[in-house]
Each structure stands twice: as structure tokens, then as C-alpha cells.
């Protein structure tokens, strides 16, 4: 054990430190198994005070701190950097899952305050036990943590109604690069007293501080829920459908998910779930509505809005409306199993892009046309949170070719095509997954120079030793 | 004209520059006429390109830039600093009202993009002409500008439903301290690509850049609206009423305004408006509901929720529900004329405080008890956005004393009492008005040292010459 580690053990009573190679290697491998890195130790603090002491000690010894929540990120942000100038720096991996000091709720203020280590699912359940809703919802909710959700500004399936993690956070506490506790947990809905450090920390991917606690917004739990499955001609019709529903039922609309035919065919190939019967080859839309009123009132309202939509509209071909929670779950399973169905098919190239909803069809058509023009006959498995302008534009190798060879050969060209198309449509190359180490070069290349210089200046101002997650988000 | 100004005139074609003392003095006096300062010139750019050139030139010559929108701010943020080390620096006053290059709307994306110089009212009207709602709403909306709303993170009467200006902005363009255009106007609802400069600029009160254009969120315009006036026993009953309504009609609830008896008596003394008849001496609550459904359906729903509230609840004594828009306007006039009625009565001490809704009664009782204990028999004119935890806790001199003398003698003590009470209840001393030059010393005194150091570091990183609004927000 190095002097630094002995110092840590002695100096911070109760701090759990692991220096065995196996658990270190496991913790330093990311969710997608793209990055297998290492660290001096895995440290698992239980208190914010331990985090403060740890960061101070790391600063004194020049040891970098990589913070990890549930390790479910998709861009290598939660494991030490694998290449570039910072890959050789000594790191500790700070796992936040034992940070569980605080879990309280203020019903009259509609807020919940929790330590960073609670999983999203635990927080949802705690709110639900009080008849309240924490609306953030994503596939990894059983594993991902509140701290990770905040650090990555997680999105998910209810952003359309309730916003991203950013919009759900009223305040946070973090440990800065000097090992000092900063921020606030007051749960204020109005507070104009200086620069908004909260929003600077949210989405900063562990590069500006270690988020230890947060105060988040709650909502009354809906009393009724209703899911519609629509067969629509194409993505253009899906956008028109969204706009129609927003005019009539904006405040009941909770999710609006679009899927192309290939995506749904694939799920039905690998899973028992069956989509409602409709014309072959068309696109699919899943819409969720919820309200504080009765099931019957919501159902009637939605049925009216959708009947109105179909009336004389050949682009919307079929509508199925669920009658109970079980039916709703069955439809959601189709959407939620796309990624896994795709994994069963083998390798693919994933893109997490967004642009204004109004320009999604243009992006979709341009990207597919450019892929065809380049002679790359991929299978597009396209789906996503259309209501937020966010698509997961995933591309699989043609079934008759070796996927690994095809992708090694064409992945870069496919990325270039998709990224060029989304940028040309006023979009972004990372809607909800962030930058991490995967896209740091891309971020530098596509960001306007004055904006990128502002990023670098802020990082230098708040973390002058580049202690937190070096080599992430920023390219150097 | 100095060399600098000649340079400006020659170097930036089309830039309007005024060097006459009278218009300068007028522009350099704040809304409340607390600060009468001066500047080398008033400059009125019409384009972002002119702002870029102007800021570059100011940087070269070390001339400070004070940006002003509608000059309706209440903390002296929009006029040059009147005292302290930066008061002697040469300033230009940059008025943004001629920045009207862009005003467009993307209906399918529910976004509006506008230059900083448009007034809030113009933007509301432009959205309304397309059947859409920009929900930001405040007393000064005919004069205040979009740029000023963003720089000060304006609040107002619909924050409960739609959030502050911050929550309504999807992106902004600004000119940084190097005279470079930064930011984006893409209108993305999801975009995790680097630090959130947008939220850093919003609420930074002109100290980090000059906001020139913004992309903001729109909503479908409500089809129905309904206002309820409640007589309640006290502020405790008002908070219970809010919680009851949030459980039953969260998504229709738009505003929740509380007023003490003195405030409403004062309005009725100075204005013809009459409050609904109810028991004497109790508090008043104005609640607005709105929806995309029919007037009749909304009225029935609200009537049911309120009947349920009164049932066996002695703390809610009377409810009046409006039947049409005219009645609703009459009730709103009572709320909106409080400030003016107060002005007619003479001088008073204003406080713009907020804390968690759950702790508002505690704050209210503690502050009034402390004032009484200090032997200061003020008249409390209390009202505000209770739904946001935000009260305007204003105190008038006793009617038998000379207000000016009383306030000169006791203003500081009253401020100390109110600020101590709100901080003790986990609150803030500036909910929606900001810091400007009025509260910069207070901000420094009450902010935790590591947080204040982060403010200073960010300012130095992004504006190393301290060009933008020196002496505002930060104490040095």
C-alpha cells in the first residue's frame, strides 16, 4: 500500500478502501465493457464528511478522483480514463453507493432530500409510499443512483411532461476540488442570489465536484394512466400526431415514443410481447397519458382526442387504447425491450441524437438517404423519445455479413453521416447520454471555439488541479 | 468626445451613441430612483454584431459595460454602480431595446426565438397571435425586456405552474467579455454536451455577458380560466389550502397568491376595486386555474375541489368563484394594485423573501414576533406568491409617525429581523428581484465562503477584466 493509501486509511476513520486487483478491475470496467481501466483503490465513503476528507487528501497527493454511481453510463464517464494524457495519472475510484445519510421528504413543500447513493428506484418508491411521484424514469432505474442521474442530467421516458433531471432538482450539495462542502438543500423554488452553481454541477459528469446530496421536486402521484398504441405512416405522421395531442391534451401527455417497423419486428422476434395488429411496414407510436382524475374520465378524454386525430387522416391507420395497467405494461414492454432485442441480434452502432421536434423528419430522411448513398445497406433500428426530439438512431450490420467486420470497417463513416445530418438540422450528438470519455474529441471538434474556451476556463477556475475525472468531457 | 467614443462612432457603423448629459442621466437612474449615476455614453445597438464590436472596443479601452433592458429592476442592477471601488470606472450604458433582429416561432417545436430588446408583452402577444402561450407574467411586462427577464431570472405570477424565466429558456446567445458570440438557439429539450452556460448566464445580472437573443418554450394557450377568492383564517390555513388544491388540481393550478387583511384594506382605500365580502380581519387568497378544456368543465372541477376543502374546515371561511373573465380581472386588480396602494401611503421597507412553503407560517410568525419584541409598531403589508414560497414582506411606518424619519431610524433593524427570520427558516433574502448593487454586501455576508469563492472564480474566469457590470452581484 502506498504512503497515500496508508494516509487515507489512517486519516479518514470508517472509510472503506479496497486495494485488491479483482474488485478494482471490476469497478473500473464500464457498463458497455468498452473501457477496462484501473485505480489505486476503490473507496466507498458513507458520509459527506468522509468525501470532504478524501478529496482534500487526493488534492494534497495529486491523485485524481473518478466518481461512480451505479456505473450504468454509456459513455465511459464513471470509470478512469483509458487513454490520452491523463490515463497515466493515479486515480481513486470513489463509489457513492454507500452515501445514504439522508432520505427525507417535505410533503407540504413537495420535495425530497436524499444522499447521492440511493438508487433511482429507491427514491421513486420512497416518494410513492407517501402518495407522491418522483417522475424521473429510465431503464437502469434499479441500479443507477441519484448522484449519477444528476451528474449526467439523465433523461428517460417522462421528460416530455416533467423535464430532465436538471428540471427536477431544486438544490444540491457537493464537495468541491478543495474538499469543501458547497451548495444548498433548502428546496427553494425561487432564489436569485448569485450564479447558479446547481445547474453548473448538473450534467458536469463528475468533472467539477462530487455530488453528495440533492433536494428534488415531487408531484402528486397520478390516479389514472392510459396508454395508446398508434400505427402511423411514417415519422412525419408521428410528429403531426404529437402536435395534435399537445393541442388537446398537453397536460395529460406524459410520454411519446416512436419506433420504426424494424425495431418492433425485432422485439417480437426475440420476446413473447406482441404489438397490436395493424398494417404491415408502418411506424409505431406509444403515447402515455396520466392525470389526477378518474380512469374513466381520462380514457374518455383520450379516446375523443385520438378519434379526432384519425378522422379523415390517412397517415394514422390504427389506434389501440389500453383498458388497464396490465395492457399498458404489455405495450411498454415492446418499447423497453428494443435495446435487448438488438443486443441479441449482435453488434450495432448507437447514436443518441436530438433536434427540434419540427426537424426530426428532415434529419431522419437525410441521414437514411446519406447512408444509402454511401452504399452502406445497414438495418436501421430507430426509436426514441420523439416528444423530446430525441432519437436512438441505431444501425445494425446487414444480416448476411459479419457484424464485427462490417462495423470495424464502417462505424466511423456511419457516425460521421449521422452526426453531420443531426448537426445540419440544428441538433446535438448527445441528447441524454453525455460526453464522458467516448465523445470528448467529438465535443471539442463540434463546439464553437468561444464556448469551448468557456468550458475550459470554468473547469480551470473550479478544479485548478484537474482532480475530478480528468480526461472526461473535455479533451485535455 | 473622448478618443474612445470617437473610435466607437467610427468603428461601429450604425451604432447609436448618445453623449448628451440629460438622456445619460435619465438612463442612469434606476426605476426606484435610488441610484443616480452616470456613463460616458448611452449606446443602443441594433444588431448582435454591433454588440460584439462594442464589447471588443470596451475591452481594449478598459471601459465597463452596464447592460440595461427595460430598466424596471428593483436592485439597481441596470444602472452603473453608484459607490465602491468601481464607481469611478468609465462606463457605457448599453441599452438593448433596439435589439430586435429576430422574432420567429416554431409551432411544431413549441418554441419562440427573439432578440433581447423585445418587451415581455410583445413576446406574449406574438405567441398569442399563434394560439400559443408564453407564460411568464409580471407587473412590468409592458416595459421589461426578454434580455432583462433572462439576466435577472424574472419570476412573477405563473411560476407555480410554469417555472421562472430559467425554466422557460431552452437556449440563449450572448456576447462574452472578449466580444465573441456564444451559446445556441437550437431549441433543444435534451442536450448533454458540456457545461450548461445557459443557466450560468440566466440570473447573472449582466455580469458575465450581454444576452442578445433567446429561444424560449411555448405552451398551448389555455381555453378556460377560473379565479377563486378565499377568505382564510391565517397563513397556516393558506398553506393547507394550497396543499389541498395541489392534491386535487395540481395540473390546473396556475397561481396562488396570499394577501393579509391590511394589504387588501389598503387597496380598497385607494382604488375602487372591492374584495368579495367575508369575515373581517382574515387573510385573503387568490387562486387561478386554467385548462385546455371547456370553461364549464374547469368551473365544475374547481367548485368540487373547493367545496371539499371547506367541508368541516373552519379555517376556510368563504369562497367566491368567478364566472367570467371580467370578474377574474376585478379580483386580480386587488392583488396587482397592492404595491401602488402602498406607494400612495408613503415610504415603506420592502423584502423579497422565500423559503420552503412548509415553513412560511413559521417565518411569518417569527418575523412579526421579533418586530414586536423590538418595539417597532410597523404596519405589515404582506402578500406574495405563496405557492412558490415567495412573500413580499413589506413594512410601513405607523400612521401617526413621519415615515421618512421612522424608516431612516429603523430600516436597518427591520431588514436584519426579516433576513434573520427567513434565513433561520431555510430561506433566501432575494427570491426574484436579484442582488444588483442593493444587496451585494448582504450576499457576500450570508453566502458560505466556498460558494462565494466559486462565484468569484467563475466571474474571473469568464470576465477577467471585470468589464461587465462591475460592482454588481459581487461585492468587489
Amino acid at each position: 500500500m502506498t504512503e497515500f493509501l496508508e494516509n487515507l486509511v489512517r486519516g479518514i476513520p470508517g472509510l472503506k478502501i479496497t486495494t485488491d486487483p479483482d474488485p478494482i478491475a471490476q469497478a473500473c470496467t464500464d457498463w458497455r465493457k468498452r473501457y477496462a481501466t484501473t485505480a489505486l483503490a476503490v473507496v466507498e465513503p458513507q458520509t459527506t464528511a468522509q468525501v470532504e476528507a478524501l478529496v482534500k487528501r487526493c488534492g494534497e497527493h495529486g491523485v485524481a478522483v473518478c466518481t461512480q454511481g451505479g456505473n450504468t453510463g454509456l459513455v465511459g464517464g464513471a470509470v478512469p480514463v483509458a487513454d490520452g494524457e491523463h490515463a497515466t495519472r493515479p486515480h481513486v475510484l470513489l463509489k457513492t453507493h454507500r452515501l445514504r445519510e439522508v432520505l427525507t421528504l417535505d410533503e407540504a413543500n413537495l420535495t425530497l432530500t436524499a444522499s447521492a447513493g440511493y438508487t433511482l428506484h429507491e427514491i421513486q418508491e420512497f416518494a410513492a409510499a407517501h402518495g407522491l411521484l418522483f417522475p424521473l424514469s429510465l431503464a437502469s432505474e434499479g441500479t443507477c443512483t441519484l448522484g449519477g442521474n444528476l451528474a449526467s442530467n439523465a433523461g428517460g421516458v417522462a421528460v416530455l411532461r416533467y423535464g430532465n433531471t436538471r428540471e427536477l432538482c431544486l438544490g444540491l450539495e457537493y464537495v468541491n476540488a478543495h474538499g469543501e462542502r458547497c451548495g444548498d438543500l433548502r428546496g427553494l423554488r425561487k432564489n436569485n442570489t448569485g450564479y447558479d452553481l446547481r445547474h453548473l454541477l448538473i450534467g458536469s459528469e463528475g468533472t467539477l465536484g462530487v455530488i453528495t446530496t440533492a433536494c428534488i421536486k415531487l408531484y402528486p402521484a397520478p390516479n389514472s394512466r392510459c396508454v395508446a398504441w398508434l400505427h402511423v405512416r411514417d415519422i412525419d405522421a408521428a410528429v403531426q400526431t404529437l402536435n395534435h395531442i399537445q393541442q388537446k391534451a398537453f397536460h395529460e401527455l406524459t410520454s411519446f415514443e416512436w419506433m420504426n417497423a424494424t425495431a418492433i419486428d425485432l422485439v417480437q422476434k426475440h420476446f413473447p410481447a406482441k404489438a397490436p395488429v395493424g398494417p404491415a411496414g408502418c411506424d409505431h407510436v406509444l403515447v402515455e397519458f396520466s392525470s389526477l382524475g378518474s380512469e374513466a374520465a381520462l380514457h374518455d378524454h383520450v379516446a375523443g382526442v385520438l378519434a379526432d386525430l384519425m378522422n379523415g387522416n390517412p397517415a394514422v391507420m390504427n389506434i389501440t387504447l389500453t383498458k388497464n395497467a396490465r395492457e399498458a405494461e404489455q405495450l411498454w414492454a415492446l418499447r423497453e425491450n428494443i435495446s435487448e432485442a438488438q443486443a441479441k441480434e449482435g453488434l450495432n452502432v448507437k447514436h443518441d441524437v436530438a433536434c427540434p421536434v419540427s426537424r426530426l423528419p428532415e434529419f431522419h430522411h437525410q441521414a437514411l438517404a446519406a447512408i444509402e448513398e454511401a452504399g452502406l445497406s445497414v438495418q436501421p433500428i430507430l426509436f426514441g423519445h420523439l416528444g423530446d426530439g430525441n432519437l436512438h438512431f441505431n444501425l445494425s450490420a446487414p444480416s448476411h455479413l459479419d457484424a464485427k467486420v462490417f462495423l470495424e470497417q464502417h462505424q466511423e463513416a456511419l457516425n460521421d453521416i449521422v452526426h453531420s445530418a443531426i448537426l445540419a438540422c440544428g441538433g446535438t450528438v448527445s441528447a441524454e447520454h453525455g460526453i464522458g470519455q467516448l465523445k470528448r474529441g467529438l465535443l471539442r471538434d463540434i463546439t464553437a471555439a468561444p464556448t469551448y474556451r468557456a468550458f475550459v476556463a470554468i473547469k480551470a477556475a473550479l478544479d485548478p488541479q484537474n482532480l475530478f475525472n480528468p480526461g472526461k468531457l473535455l479533451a485535455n
Side-chain angles (χ1 to χ4, degrees), chain A:
Chain A
M1 199 179 271
T2 66
E3 187 204 332
F4 162 70
L5 289 174
E6 278 170 16
N7 239 312
L8 269 191
V9 176
R10 270 205 314 274
I12 311 176
L15 181 66
K16 187 175 169 193
I17 302 179
T18 308
T19 54
D20 293 346
D22 281 359
I24 290 179
Q26 199 192 336
C28 290
T29 302
D30 80 308
W31 185 253
R32 292 174 72 186
K33 304 205 190 306
R34 272 170 176 262
Y35 302 102
T37 60
T38 191
L40 298 179
V42 174
V43 288
E44 296 164 78
Q46 269 185 304
T47 66
T48 301
Q50 287 176 352
V51 177
E52 291 175 70
L54 171 66
V55 171
K56 263 197 203 92
R57 211 51 62 92
C58 287
E60 288 158 11
H61 292 263
V63 172
V65 178
C66 175
T67 306
Q68 182 180 97
N71 193 18
T72 60
L74 300 174
V75 290
V79 298
V81 63
D83 50 31
E85 59 174 306
H86 301 289
T88 53
R89 280 181 66 175
H91 277 72
V92 293
L93 188 85
L94 192 172
K95 279 187 77 71
T96 60
H97 67 132
R98 294 175 81 217
L99 284 173
R100 300 169 68 88
E101 283 181 287
V102 183
L103 182 63
T104 59
L105 191 140
D106 180 344
E107 289 190 52
N109 197 42
L110 288 173
T111 50
L112 186 158
T113 305
S115 299
Y118 283 96
T119 67
L120 175 51
H121 183 71
E122 286 175 319
I123 286 169
Q124 292 166 342
E125 292 291 299
F126 186 68
H130 293 79
L132 295 165
L133 172 76
F134 181 57
L136 188 68
S137 178
L138 35 144
S140 59
E141 61 198 27
T143 311
C144 66
T145 61
L146 178 62
N149 294 151
L150 288 158
S152 64
N153 185 27
V157 294
V159 172
L160 182 58
R161 174 88 165 257
Y162 299 101
N164 297 288
T165 305
R166 181 182 297 293
E167 282 82 32
L168 296 171
C169 176
L170 288 176
L172 50 79
E173 206 169 71
Y174 65 99
V175 173
N176 72 10
H178 308 290
E180 299 163 324
R181 195 183 294 220
C182 287
D184 87 272
L185 301 169
R186 290 172 288 178
L188 303 176
R189 280 159 208 274
K190 279 185 173 171
N191 180 26
N192 282 342
T193 53
Y195 304 135
D196 200 316
L197 301 181
R198 162 190 50 154
H199 281 302
L200 199 54
L201 267 286
I202 296 173
S204 67
E205 306 187 20
T207 65
L208 298 180
V210 181
I211 296 170
T212 53
T213 324
C215 178
I216 55 184
K217 281 188 207 172
L218 300 178
Y219 293 84
N223 293 313
S224 53
R225 200 165 75 116
C226 173
V227 170
W229 190 275
L230 286 74
H231 290 79
V232 298
R233 191 162 54 200
D234 48 24
I235 192 169
D236 304 68
V239 170
Q240 285 155 18
T241 297
L242 171 71
N243 292 152
H244 173 90
I245 292 173
Q246 286 184 316
Q247 278 165 37
K248 308 284 182 179
F250 188 91
H251 302 289
E252 290 81 20
L253 178 61
T254 311
S255 305
F256 192 101
E257 302 285 315
W258 168 83
M259 299 140 279
N260 74 352
T262 318
I264 290 303
D265 291 348
L266 209 62
V267 175
Q268 295 184 101
K269 177 175 162 192
H270 291 284
F271 289 88
K274 285 287 157 273
V277 178
C282 62
D283 289 358
H284 303 261
V285 169
L286 181 158
V287 197
E288 180 166 301
F289 302 86
S290 61
S291 86
L292 294 178
S294 71
E295 289 277 358
L298 180 66
H299 194 279
D300 285 359
H301 180 39
V302 168
V305 169
L306 296 181
D308 198 22
L309 167 70
M310 278 196 84
N311 190 12
N313 182 354
V316 179
M317 290 165 290
N318 191 48
I319 292 175
T320 305
L321 204 55
T322 62
K323 283 182 217 69
N324 52 51
R326 197 181 50 84
E327 288 181 11
E329 291 313 323
Q330 284 173 345
L331 294 183
W332 267 112
L334 286 158
R335 163 67 183 86
E336 282 165 351
N337 284 320
I338 296 175
S339 290
E340 216 172 316
Q342 240 193 320
K344 286 178 193 282
E345 284 285 297
L347 292 174
N348 60 79
V349 195
K350 293 186 196 298
H351 302 100
D352 167 40
V353 297
C355 70
V357 168
S358 51
R359 300 188 72 179
L360 273 179
E362 180 188 347
F363 156 71
H364 171 270
H365 304 326
Q366 279 186 8
L368 291 183
I371 290 167
E372 202 177 319
E373 206 166 296
L376 299 167
S377 51
V378 294
Q379 294 186 72
I381 317 293
L382 311 179
F383 60 99
H385 319 295
L386 186 135
D388 313 319
N390 176 200
L391 296 188
H392 298 306
F393 202 90
N394 298 350
L395 305 168
S396 292
S399 52
H400 61 284
L401 295 179
D402 180 307
K404 192 158 178 286
V405 173
F406 180 85
L407 290 180
E408 267 169 15
Q409 212 173 339
H410 300 296
Q411 172 154 343
E412 209 172 316
L414 290 168
N415 286 343
D416 284 351
I417 288 171
V418 173
H419 291 157
S420 298
I422 198 74
L423 293 172
C425 291
T428 177
V429 299
S430 188
E432 53 179 15
H433 296 167
I435 301 301
Q437 50 188 306
L438 181 65
K439 297 186 181 173
R440 62 184 176 178
L442 179 63
L443 181 71
R444 184 198 50 213
D445 295 346
I446 63 170
T447 306
T451 298
Y452 199 79
R453 281 198 292 270
F455 292 169
V456 172
I458 288 167
K459 170 70 171 172
L462 299 186
D463 181 13
Q465 282 187 273
N466 201 357
L467 212 60
F468 290 136
N469 247 356
K472 309 290 177 58
L473 199 144
L474 297 172
N476 42 38

